[in-house]
Amino acid sequence: MGRIWITAISLFLIITFLLWKISNSYYKEKVYGKKMWKQWGTKTFYWTGAISVSSVATILIMFLLKSINILIF
């Protein structure tokens, strides 16, 4: 059981970090602008979306690993 949680949390953190590296500058400069980016509401909306996408991607990867019998749960 511990192996599953360690794998899931590691995947979630890696996916969130990669998503942040790829999309942060785009949203900060082109979508919202630097002035709007300083507001909490804008950052909250960005991080809500990033965490949601990372959660869904983690769940899909975990079930993919289960279907090819790498993880058993």
Side-chain angles (χ1 to χ4, degrees):
M1 186 70 173
R3 180 177 163 196
I4 294 170
W5 283 105
I6 292 171
T7 305
I9 292 170
S10 299
L11 274 172
F12 177 76
L13 292 174
I14 290 168
I15 292 169
T16 304
F17 177 75
L18 291 174
L19 184 65
W20 172 74
K21 279 300 244 188
I22 292 169
S23 67
N24 187 39
S25 63
Y26 174 75
Y27 280 98
K28 187 187 292 185
E29 294 173 7
K30 295 188 179 179
V31 175
Y32 296 115
K34 292 183 180 181
K35 186 174 182 180
M36 282 290 290
W37 188 254
K38 293 181 182 179
Q39 296 178 357
W40 279 96
T42 306
K43 289 181 187 178
T44 303
F45 181 73
Y46 170 79
W47 280 109
T48 302
I51 290 172
S52 300
V53 169
S54 298
S55 298
V56 170
T58 301
I59 291 169
L60 291 175
I61 290 172
M62 291 295 288
F63 280 113
L64 177 70
L65 291 174
K66 181 187 182 295
S67 68
I68 58 176
N69 292 327
I70 292 177
L71 288 177
I72 299 171
F73 58 93

